[in-house]
Amino acid sequence: MRILVVEDDAALAGLLRDALSRAGYAVDMAGDGEEGHFLGDTEPYDAVVLDLGLPRLDGLTVLKRWRADGRNFPVLILTARDRWTEKVEGMDAGADDYLTKPFQMEELLARVRALIRRAKGHASAELVCGELRLDTRHGAVTLAGRPVSLTANEFKVLSYLMHRKGEVVSQADLIEHIYAQDFERDSNTIEVFIGRLRKKLGAEWIETVRGLGYRLREARRTE
């Protein structure tokens, strides 16, 4: 899953980037409203963390422009404690949730997880496909109750497929959603990650749809 963080406070931006990266997200950063608007307008994000008090272009204007242009990714706005009116304006402008500064990083991560789940049609923090389960809170995967050890990138690929369970996901879509903007992308690595996942889960879990991409499907147990 790929996140955009638009925050002009360098120290806070660094903390957000590190926490989200450790949680398994690909993270892009913008330090002002103009850059943030451009990235949100041109890149596919699964969620955005948006500060409202931004230089060059304020966060409320950025949000309004995104929504007017049909950008429907979930947005978590950050506001100062004494600016309660910003919360109301932000929600009315199309924000999905807000968090008041200062905040606990665990709460922000929980809110981001919830926004992404709801946007993909999932109510629970645990994604389920038959006997395959992925816990978005703890980054844990189990198959038939047994833990499955995955690398960070394998987890990112599986997480995206789990969020899109039953849908065909193109290789280009996977590349765009598991790598940050400044990461050197190589389509061959997606094939490698898919191959490794099939070895660890069983080849029947991830179907190749010729010419289109991959689809996660529930595998039937054979006795």
Side-chain angles (χ1 to χ4, degrees):
M1 294 294 172
R2 190 173 171 195
I3 309 291
L4 172 63
V5 174
V6 191
E7 170 61 62
D8 65 312
D9 183 320
L12 177 57
L15 292 173
L16 289 168
R17 181 193 59 234
D18 292 346
L20 288 163
S21 296
R22 285 195 301 271
Y25 298 105
V27 184
D28 289 346
M29 307 295 298
D32 62 68
E34 286 188 358
E35 183 185 12
H37 175 261
F38 173 78
L39 287 174
D41 221 26
T42 57
E43 297 289 334
Y45 292 106
D46 297 293
V48 175
V49 178
L50 175 68
D51 184 28
L52 294 187
L54 296 168
R56 303 187 72 176
L57 192 65
D58 67 272
L60 192 62
T61 299
V62 171
L63 178 57
K64 288 179 177 179
R65 290 183 181 180
W66 280 339
R67 295 314 192 214
D69 290 338
R71 305 292 181 259
N72 61 1
F73 40 64
V75 174
L76 171 66
I77 56 173
L78 304 179
T79 68
R81 182 175 296 278
D82 59 348
R83 297 292 298 276
W84 66 267
T85 56
E86 286 187 340
K87 303 172 188 175
V88 177
E89 293 172 345
M91 299 300 284
D92 285 343
D96 299 273
D97 198 359
Y98 70 86
L99 198 55
T100 301
K101 297 178 180 179
F103 53 83
Q104 295 296 318
M105 197 62 70
E106 284 302 318
E107 182 179 2
L108 180 136
L109 292 173
R111 288 175 182 267
V112 168
R113 288 194 299 267
L115 287 178
I116 293 175
R117 289 199 312 270
R118 289 200 296 268
K120 305 298 184 184
H122 299 280
S124 172
E126 188 176 58
L127 306 180
V128 179
C129 180
E131 293 185 316
L132 181 63
R133 295 174 178 268
L134 186 148
D135 187 336
T136 61
R137 297 162 300 182
H138 304 109
V141 176
T142 60
L143 178 58
R146 296 186 296 273
V148 180
S149 178
L150 300 179
T151 67
N153 282 322
E154 290 165 4
F155 181 86
K156 288 178 182 178
V157 171
L158 181 61
S159 176
Y160 193 70
L161 291 174
M162 290 282 282
H163 277 92
R164 301 273 300 272
K165 179 181 65 173
E167 301 178 31
V168 177
V169 178
S170 70
Q171 191 175 85
D173 203 13
L174 278 168
I175 290 172
E176 288 179 336
H177 286 269
I178 72 166
Y179 291 130
Q181 185 189 35
D182 57 357
F183 195 90
E184 185 176 347
R185 303 172 181 185
D186 181 357
S187 61
N188 292 331
T189 60
I190 297 297
E191 296 177 5
V192 172
F193 298 147
I194 292 292
R196 291 176 180 172
L197 285 170
R198 284 172 169 158
K199 287 181 179 179
K200 293 180 178 182
L201 303 175
E204 66 276 12
W205 284 95
I206 302 176
E207 175 188 10
T208 296
V209 181
R210 189 177 298 276
L212 296 177
Y214 305 100
R215 176 165 50 208
L216 183 76
R217 62 180 183 177
E218 182 177 345
R220 297 185 181 277
R221 294 186 68 179
T222 57
E223 301 298 335

